[in-house]
DNA sequence: CGGTATCCCTGCTGATACTG
DNA sequence: CAGTATCAGCAGGGATACCG
């Protein structure tokens, strides 16, 4: 939360909601593989802990991006799915994916920066 | 860094680079108001401290998203500007901006969630 | 299964002071 | 001006254990 102060730029609030920690893989998994249970998400994301997964799912549910359905069976069952509002993020995610080829450029920039810095390239 | 593990979804690395803390307002300011000095950025973002601003600018410079120019004058002058790679984020930022009307829906979702929770709506 | 509760610990942040 | 250095404080995340 409050990842980037809104006074600085108008898109900061959107970033706070959509790109706060763990939300991207969660929304992606729900969008990609559809409605699924808690454990499925847990296994798919792998490095997330149940506590944090719960926190993030609650947050996403509160923001209306994710729908939670509870089945009072034994053993209990809960299913999560992306909401319509969540699906409206599609174009945004597509824009992300379209930019990803530039990751190579970033990698290259990092390497040459590191070389420059190692040899004391900075003037100040 | 490592805001969202890449094993979970392919767009996570992009998010790590572009939407890590403070990078959005910085890139936005540089993109919106053009080439400017350290203090200008500092004043524009207001709540950022010089230490953190320096950190983030270095990171963005290393990633090739921002260009730094040092003028060895007295007093010294440094100017920052967005790189071509940084400008290539334009469509992404536009997609963000296009989604921002949905913030109202999020706000509404939060309110009704909070009402539901206050009255003990959750079954589990 | 689908979570909570607990503790710990890292990393970000803020404040302050100092320098070329 | 444009930083760097240092220290303290704290929220959030990870690991582990437990519960309906």
């Amino acid at each position: 939360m409050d990842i980037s102060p809104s006074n600085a730029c108008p898109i900061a609030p959107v970033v706070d909601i959509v790109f706060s920690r763990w939300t991207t893989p969660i929304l992606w998994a729900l969008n990609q593989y559809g409605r699924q249970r808690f454990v499925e998400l847990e296994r798919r994301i792998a490095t997330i802990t149940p506590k944090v997964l719960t926190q993030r799912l609650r947050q996403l549910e509160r923001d209306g991006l994710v729908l939670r359905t509870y089945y009072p069976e034994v053993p209990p069952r809960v299913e999560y799915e992306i909401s319509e509002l969540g699906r409206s993020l599609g174009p945004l995610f597509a824009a992300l994916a379209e930019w990803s080829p530039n990751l190579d450029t970033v990698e290259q920039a990092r390497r040459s920066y590191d070389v420059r810095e190692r040899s004391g390239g900075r003037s100040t």
Side-chain angles (χ1 to χ4, degrees), chain A residues 78-110:
Chain A
V78 176
E79 288 186 354
Y80 293 93
E81 63 184 318
I82 199 161
S83 71
E84 192 168 337
L85 182 61
R87 245 188 300 275
S88 76
L89 292 167
L92 188 48
F93 282 20
L96 261 296
E98 273 160 38
W99 197 84
S100 58
N102 289 302
L103 287 172
D104 292 342
T105 313
V106 171
E107 255 313 309
Q108 211 176 335
R110 285 180 177 173

Side-chain angles (χ1 to χ4, degrees), chain A residues 4-22:
Chain A
S4 33
S6 52
N7 50 8
C9 81
I11 62 176
V14 179
V15 173
D16 284 351
I17 291 168
V18 179
F19 299 114
S20 65
R21 186 147 168 137
W22 292 111

Side-chain angles (χ1 to χ4, degrees), chain A residues 6-57:
Chain A
S6 52
N7 50 8
C9 81
I11 62 176
V14 179
V15 173
D16 284 351
I17 291 168
V18 179
F19 299 114
S20 65
R21 186 147 168 137
W22 292 111
T23 56
T24 313
I26 293 174
L27 287 174
W28 178 273
L30 288 175
N31 190 64
Q32 193 77 355
Y33 303 102
R35 184 187 179 94
Q36 55 200 290
R37 311 176 61 165
F38 187 87
V39 263
E40 296 182 81
L41 279 172
E42 198 177 349
R43 277 194 277 263
R44 223 182 281 281
I45 300 178
T47 55
I48 200 172
T49 59
K51 185 185 73 173
V52 175
L53 180 56
T54 303
Q55 284 175 352
R56 279 5 326 198
L57 283 170

